[in-house]
Amino acid sequence: QAGGRSLMPAQDLHLHVQQLLVPVLVLVLGAALVVDNTAAIGQQQAIVEDHFDSSCEQEREQEHFLSPSYDETHSRAAAENAMHVTLHNGVVVPSLAFGMYQMTTDEVASSMDAAIEAGYRHFDTAAVYRNEHALGQYIKTRLAAHKLTRADLFITSKLSPSDQGYEEAKAALQRSLDQLGIDHLDLYLIHWPGVRGLAVTDTKAKEKRAGSWRALEEAYAAGKVRAIGVSNYMVNHIEELLANCKVVPMVNQVEQHPQLYQPDLLKLCKSNNIVLEAYSPLGQGHLLKEAPVVALAQKYNKTPAQVLIRWGLQHSPMMAVKSSTPSRVKENFNVFDFEIDQAGMESLNNMSEGRHFCWDPYTVA
């Protein structure tokens, strides 16, 4: 004790100083962290804003790193846009149609279930497929189970070659509507430029298909079909139709795949706002093991089938694909999340040798 005051031992004084300094240090460090965090937030915001400046590549990459959901959202939006095509009359069509060729009545229900679950909303049938009634029954009895209505589907059917001609086509369209149990088709096509019972060289086919087209134009005007088109029409058939029609066809559905790349037909269709819709994109399975296809499948981590479908969609954004195997039905639809580069497209284009795996309409007069 000195001068009436008690003196603290040295070790107690040292402990007391520590107790006083700890809160001060915490406050100082906390302030530094706040300043640092504020700077980081400011930097991140600047990076996000710089994303919209196309000259700031480094900042764009950082922004994507900081906000990975941007790319995911952008990809989903791009895929959604790519999944539809708008015809020249304004009708919006799902790009991928689920083809029903050679599908038996017994297969329709299970195949439709798998297709709808995979995301298909466009269904492609025809009078000659003999499954319009089964599709109609599915719409009537099972579609509601998927929480869908007729308005959610895009239905395509086709005029049989045995029904070519003005009166015949009018009656055939009504039969298809009755078989399907619906009051209109979304797309109706003349299935083939020829006429059943006529030789492919018989020029009477021209008069018959002209009459069929006039019937389709009238049905379109009456609202029985939302869009009309043709199938298996080559350059000469399209040019003939364009010279005489009142309504330019919205669609031309033809066989197209890397071994049957048809740039002249594609160019003619595009120049007249006709969407070329490809069918048989896999060449009936014959193209799945071709070296250029396999190489691109490995490059993009996709299946050969997905590469072939993607190739077709990059040439023209509408296609009919077919499978009765649920896993492949889903696989065929999963083609909107990648794009084949120009070199890859050329490698597949160069496979073309004019090979038809289906019908050859070039000989039809």
Side-chain angles (χ1 to χ4, degrees):
Q1 195 170 21
R5 292 176 296 174
S6 296
L7 295 177
M8 186 179 294
Q11 60 182 12
D12 290 342
L13 177 62
H14 180 69
L15 178 61
H16 183 64
V17 170
Q18 282 184 325
Q19 290 173 339
L20 289 173
L21 286 176
V22 166
V24 174
L25 289 172
V26 168
L27 288 171
V28 170
L29 288 172
L33 287 171
V34 168
V35 170
D36 185 64
N37 190 48
T38 301
I41 292 172
Q43 182 182 13
Q44 180 173 336
Q45 181 62 34
I47 290 171
V48 171
E49 291 171 355
D50 284 343
H51 166 70
F52 296 98
D53 181 355
S54 61
S55 65
C56 297
E57 186 64 32
Q58 182 177 359
E59 283 79 4
R60 275 207 307 277
E61 292 173 358
Q62 288 177 299
E63 191 275 330
H64 289 165
F65 174 77
L66 292 167
S67 303
S69 62
Y70 172 86
D71 277 342
E72 294 167 6
T73 302
H74 180 73
S75 296
R76 284 196 298 269
E80 181 65 26
N81 290 333
M83 289 167 64
H84 295 83
V85 58
T86 302
L87 306 181
H88 71 67
N89 66 340
V91 170
V92 178
V93 186
S95 293
L96 276 183
F98 185 69
M100 302 181 71
Y101 173 60
Q102 291 185 330
M103 191 176 294
T104 67
T105 298
D106 293 337
E107 292 174 327
V108 168
S110 60
S111 296
M112 287 287 294
D113 281 339
I116 287 174
E117 289 169 8
Y120 295 86
R121 296 296 181 267
H122 181 178
F123 298 92
D124 181 276
T125 185
V128 298
Y129 298 171
R130 298 182 180 179
N131 51 30
E132 289 176 316
H133 180 70
L135 175 56
Q137 286 298 111
Y138 183 92
I139 293 171
K140 181 179 178 181
T141 63
R142 296 185 62 156
L143 189 60
H146 295 278
K147 294 181 170 46
L148 297 174
T149 68
R150 162 67 181 97
D152 296 309
L153 304 186
F154 191 97
I155 307 295
T156 296
S157 193
K158 309 180 196 75
L159 177 74
S160 169
S162 62
D163 294 318
Q164 287 274 33
Y166 176 68
E167 293 294 344
E168 298 93 327
K170 288 201 299 182
L173 170 58
Q174 189 57 54
R175 281 197 302 273
S176 286
L177 292 173
D178 292 343
Q179 287 287 310
L180 289 160
I182 56 180
D183 61 4
H184 73 277
L185 278 165
D186 296 293
L187 177 62
Y188 194 49
L189 309 176
I190 296 177
H191 205 157
W192 180 255
V195 179
R196 184 174 183 178
L198 293 182
V200 293
T201 56
D202 195 329
T203 56
K204 290 179 183 177
K206 294 183 179 183
E207 180 182 345
K208 282 286 192 179
R209 61 178 174 255
S212 296
W213 188 253
R214 186 158 57 94
L216 266 63
E217 288 178 326
E218 290 181 3
Y220 174 61
K224 287 188 172 184
V225 292
R226 297 176 62 217
I228 54 178
V230 293
S231 181
N232 297 299
Y233 271 43
M234 300 294 98
V235 169
N236 60 308
H237 305 128
I238 291 289
E239 288 177 338
E240 171 197 302
L241 179 55
L242 291 174
N244 298 286
C245 67
K246 293 180 180 178
V247 178
V248 174
M250 291 86 182
V251 173
N252 181 22
Q253 187 187 90
V254 298
E255 179 182 355
Q256 180 158 276
H257 44 72
Q259 288 192 350
L260 187 61
Y261 175 41
Q262 304 179 75
D264 291 341
L265 179 61
L266 185 59
K267 181 179 179 181
L268 176 63
C269 288
K270 284 185 175 180
S271 66
N272 289 279
N273 295 315
I274 302 169
V275 174
L276 188 146
E277 179 184 7
Y279 69 78
S280 194
L282 313 185
Q284 295 186 340
H286 294 282
L287 306 183
L288 295 174
K289 295 183 179 180
E290 291 290 329
V293 178
V294 173
L296 288 173
Q298 294 172 344
K299 176 179 179 178
Y300 292 107
N301 194 29
K302 291 290 183 178
T303 66
Q306 289 170 323
V307 166
L308 289 165
I309 293 169
R310 184 69 213 178
W311 174 87
L313 288 173
Q314 285 182 217
H315 277 302
S316 190
M318 192 168 165
M319 178 181 292
V321 295
K322 176 186 179 294
S323 178
S324 57
T325 305
S327 60
R328 290 176 183 169
V329 169
K330 184 176 181 180
E331 173 190 306
N332 291 345
F333 195 79
N334 186 24
V335 293
F336 297 101
D337 58 350
F338 77 109
E339 186 171 311
I340 301 172
D341 62 24
Q342 186 60 39
M345 291 294 289
E346 289 297 332
S347 71
L348 298 187
N349 294 349
N350 292 335
M351 290 173 57
S352 188
E353 55 187 48
R355 184 179 182 184
H356 287 266
F357 291 102
C358 302
W359 308 275
D360 185 354
Y362 279 100
T363 58
V364 178

